[in-house]
Amino acid sequence: SDHVAIAIDGPAASGKSTLARQLAAKLDLIMVNSGEMYRAVTWKVLQDGIDPKDAEAVIAALVEMDIECSVAEGRSVVRLDGRRTGDELRSEAVNGSVSAVAAIPEVRNRLVEMQRGFLEFGNVIMEGRDIGTVVFPDTPFKIYLDADAGVRAGRRVAVGEVDSVEDRDREDSRRKTAPLQVAAGAAILDTSGHTIESGTEAALELLREQG
Ligand code: C5P
């Protein structure tokens, strides 16, 4: 398709979702949260009583899993067994297990294919860990977001998520398949000193330079 993808990657609490929402509104893009897809698989695995560290069992469950993605009101929606997912994907149980599930190559293969499929619906802005490196390596529009540890810690507290985040970042950065890293051609944007508005302006400027 001739649709365009903007890739936003970075660690937890770096401001990806906030920036993606702002840019999606300004540029009329479909906002896709790839983390929700990894969270949905993890939630289902836990629901079925499967050990998320047992890769073979997770893969067996994945084969049977009825997971679907679509677009509603300009953003991605994930369905499990036909039902729309919601806040349950943000539970501490999911936070604590999602990195193990996301490290399994078979899980990533299935979800990456679904993620690429969003381009059929229109121009997208997709946030995650491997969007610029793996999902859309050929897009010229890539931003790697970061923020200093103190700022990120404050944001985690604000969303009620403290303990698991550092472990997740470490696991997401060290895994063999599609680790979190700065993509070739990505512009690095540190949001520490930015407000939402100034960070969005800075990102727009970087995207203009990349186009
Ligand atoms: O973005 P969010 O923090 O909700 O993502 C949850 C988890 O999903 C991450 O910690 C990571 O393990 C996994 N993830 C991933 N690749 C992506 C997006 C998320 O591995 N593109």
Side-chain angles (χ1 to χ4, degrees), residues 5-184:
I6 297 179
I8 310 282
D9 290 301
S14 55
K16 297 187 299 293
S17 297
T18 303
L19 178 66
R21 197 175 311 116
Q22 297 292 320
L23 292 177
K26 278 191 197 287
L27 303 173
D28 193 24
L29 306 168
I30 298 166
M31 187 173 88
V32 183
N33 182 329
S34 67
E36 281 177 358
M37 302 172 199
Y38 292 94
R39 289 172 176 276
V41 172
T42 305
W43 182 85
K44 180 68 175 163
V45 159
L46 293 173
Q47 196 75 4
D48 289 352
I50 293 161
D51 175 2
K53 291 202 169 76
D54 182 347
E56 276 183 33
V58 172
I59 292 164
L62 182 75
V63 173
E64 303 294 321
M65 207 174 285
D66 175 11
I67 180 166
E68 274 182 357
C69 291
S70 58
V71 175
E73 283 123 39
R75 58 151 301 157
S76 58
V77 171
V78 182
R79 281 192 174 75
L80 279 171
D81 299 318
R83 274 200 309 275
R84 198 165 165 163
T85 57
D87 286 344
E88 73 277 14
L89 301 188
R90 311 246 137 228
S91 70
E92 271 305 313
V94 171
N95 287 342
S97 295
V98 64
S99 290
V101 171
I104 301 170
E106 286 82 353
V107 171
R108 306 201 67 83
N109 288 343
R110 177 148 177 204
L111 297 187
V112 165
E113 200 166 311
M114 294 173 85
Q115 288 155 12
R116 290 182 179 142
F118 277 95
L119 273 191
E120 287 171 25
F121 299 105
N123 299 324
V124 307
I125 184 161
M126 190 174 296
E127 54 150 310
R129 303 295 187 288
D130 65 336
I131 311 306
T133 53
V134 174
V135 182
F136 298 122
D138 296 333
T139 182
F141 303 111
K142 301 181 186 182
I143 295 179
Y144 185 93
L145 276 194
D146 213 342
D148 66 47
V151 170
R152 295 174 58 219
R155 291 176 185 162
R156 289 164 203 165
V157 172
V159 296
E161 198 187 324
V162 186
D163 302 332
S164 58
V165 178
E166 278 163 30
D167 294 340
R168 262 206 292 141
D169 285 345
R170 196 176 321 109
E171 285 185 55
D172 293 343
S173 303
R174 290 183 184 174
R175 69 184 175 218
K176 284 206 188 73
T177 307
L180 171 64
Q181 55 186 26
V182 181

Side-chain angles (χ1 to χ4, degrees), residues 1-5 119 122-123:
S1 83
D2 1 306
H3 291 132
V4 168
L119 273 191
N123 299 324

